[in-house]
Amino acid sequence: MFCNLTPEALEDYDRIGIIMNLARGAKLFSEGDTVRNVFVICSGQVKISSTSREGKTMILKLAGPGDVLGLSAVLANVSHEVTAEAIERCQVKTMRKQEFIDFLGRHGIASMHAAQSLSGEYLTVFHDAKRLALSGSAAGRLARLLLDWARSTANGRAELKFTMALTHEEVANMAGTSRETVTRLLNQFRRDQWIAIRGASITITKPEQLERLTV
């Protein structure tokens, strides 16, 4: 969101907010909390989730460097609609709500970028709903998750490699299947040499094979 600001806007952005270092498991905010800050992820990954009245939790996305958290709630002036929890050590920049709104008011280009960020959030939700609703198989849904995570981490590089910071239970939550199925499919993908797994690191070696599963 803040990569292509004018020099004046960048200097102003650097003056506001503070940098925080978060341990794994730290919560930036919880669903229903009053909005007080906007957070920009500098490094690490944050799990975004929502919980039903029955206590069932759904993981909506993994946010990474450059993502802005709490933006929609701040601009709509409503409570946080999700929970944000660090799943590894993270560094974030936090800005007070009014401080951030004033910053957007001073710089039109920042406001435009905020609108683009909201549009990106909408597209993420749309694609996730499409993945869950239209993909006919658990293998296809898992393949789409792996491809999306790898391409997001690659940021244009040829190698599709990322660190799996979620448990198999959490991956199953996002893929709309069971933990046992996720474990079985990951082992199958590895045996077929479509992916390589080394510790928590996953490399997609044959993305075209995974793509076929998503059709």
Side-chain angles (χ1 to χ4, degrees):
M1 176 176 172
F2 301 106
C3 291
N4 299 308
L5 296 178
T6 63
E8 179 186 6
L10 275 174
E11 184 177 350
D12 195 7
Y13 173 73
D14 288 340
R15 284 197 295 264
I16 64 175
I18 59 172
I19 299 295
M20 298 171 53
N21 293 299
L22 303 176
R24 175 184 173 89
K27 287 186 178 179
L28 284 74
F29 50 81
S30 296
E31 190 173 352
D33 284 353
T34 299
V35 177
R36 293 185 174 87
N37 300 82
V38 173
F39 302 87
V40 179
I41 303 176
C42 303
S43 63
Q45 295 184 89
V46 174
K47 177 176 66 177
I48 309 299
S49 64
S50 181
T51 303
S52 70
R53 291 181 180 178
E54 293 75 27
K56 182 177 181 181
T57 299
M58 180 177 184
I59 300 172
L60 303 174
K61 67 172 286 186
L62 296 184
D67 284 334
V68 186
L69 306 182
L71 178 61
S72 59
V74 162
L75 296 182
N77 196 29
V78 297
S79 299
H80 286 293
E81 64 274 25
V82 296
T83 296
E85 178 184 343
I87 58 174
E88 59 186 3
R89 293 182 64 182
C90 294
Q91 186 177 80
V92 302
K93 176 166 183 167
T94 176
M95 295 161 281
R96 294 191 305 274
K97 174 183 175 180
Q98 193 57 51
E99 182 179 46
F100 182 75
I101 291 174
D102 291 344
F103 168 72
L104 294 183
R106 290 192 297 270
H107 303 285
I109 189 171
S111 296
M112 182 184 69
H113 287 186
Q116 291 172 340
S117 180
L118 289 176
S119 175
E121 287 185 14
Y122 161 77
L123 289 174
T124 296
V125 172
F126 170 77
H127 287 305
D128 286 347
K130 183 178 178 181
R131 167 174 49 80
L132 288 172
L134 300 183
S135 182
S137 69
R141 295 192 294 273
L142 178 60
R144 174 51 56 201
L145 275 177
L146 297 179
L147 288 166
D148 287 348
W149 288 336
R151 286 168 178 159
S152 175
T153 302
N155 198 25
R157 296 188 297 272
E159 185 180 42
L160 296 178
K161 181 179 180 179
F162 65 99
T163 299
M164 176 65 78
L166 296 178
T167 66
H168 286 191
E169 184 73 36
E170 291 172 319
V171 175
N173 180 292
M174 296 189 72
T177 186
S178 67
R179 178 188 59 78
E180 293 79 9
T181 298
V182 166
T183 300
R184 175 177 58 81
L185 288 172
L186 287 175
N187 287 334
Q188 183 64 55
F189 293 167
R190 178 166 55 180
R191 284 194 298 270
D192 292 338
Q193 298 183 351
W194 296 355
I195 64 174
I197 302 176
R198 181 169 296 177
S201 177
I202 295 181
T203 303
I204 297 179
T205 53
K206 295 184 179 179
E208 66 282 357
Q209 298 292 344
L210 293 181
E211 285 283 5
R212 291 193 182 99
L213 295 177
T214 68
V215 178

